[in-house]
Each structure stands twice: as C-alpha cells, then as structure tokens.
Amino acid sequence: MTNATDRQVEAALGIMKAIAEAIRELGEVPNGHLYARVMDHIDYENYAAVIAALKRAGVVEEKAHLLRWIG
C-alpha cells in the first residue's frame, strides 16, 4: 500500500465517521438534507456508498428518505 493510498483510506474513513456522527447526533435526518450539507465535500456517488455502508453495518436505517440512527 502506498502513502497516497493510506491517506485516501484515512480520508474516506474520516468522511464516513463524520457522516455517521452527524446522523447519530441528530437522531434522524432527511437523506437529502444531509447530502445538501456535505455536497461541497463529497460527490453523491460516494455519499450514497457511505450511507449504504452504514445501513449494512446496522447503525443506520432509512425509511421514506429519513435516515435514523439505530446504532
């Protein structure tokens, strides 16, 4: 693994952690509203991948476009 790759992985994990923490602190938030807040920092494809990973991990659920922390 190169240093650039290590930095990229650290950055991706940092973004995932920040999004997870935002959902956790809010309790629930409309998916589109959250993306609107972070769209200057992450494109939609990567944002959607983060949300999907959080749902697969069982810490976030989505119903009717509402993200809810279930940690």
Side-chain angles (χ1 to χ4, degrees), residues 16-68:
M16 181 176 279
K17 181 179 177 185
I19 290 172
E21 285 296 311
I23 298 168
R24 185 185 64 77
E25 288 179 16
L26 292 168
E28 61 184 30
V29 60
N31 194 349
H33 289 217
L34 183 58
Y35 179 63
R37 300 290 298 211
V38 300
M39 66 190 297
D40 290 340
H41 306 285
I42 184 173
D43 65 29
Y44 184 75
E45 183 177 291
N46 288 316
Y47 171 81
V50 167
I51 297 302
L54 293 173
K55 291 190 308 189
R56 278 193 310 274
V59 295
V60 170
E61 68 178 2
E62 182 175 13
K63 292 185 180 176
H65 304 290
L66 185 66
L67 299 171
R68 179 175 293 127

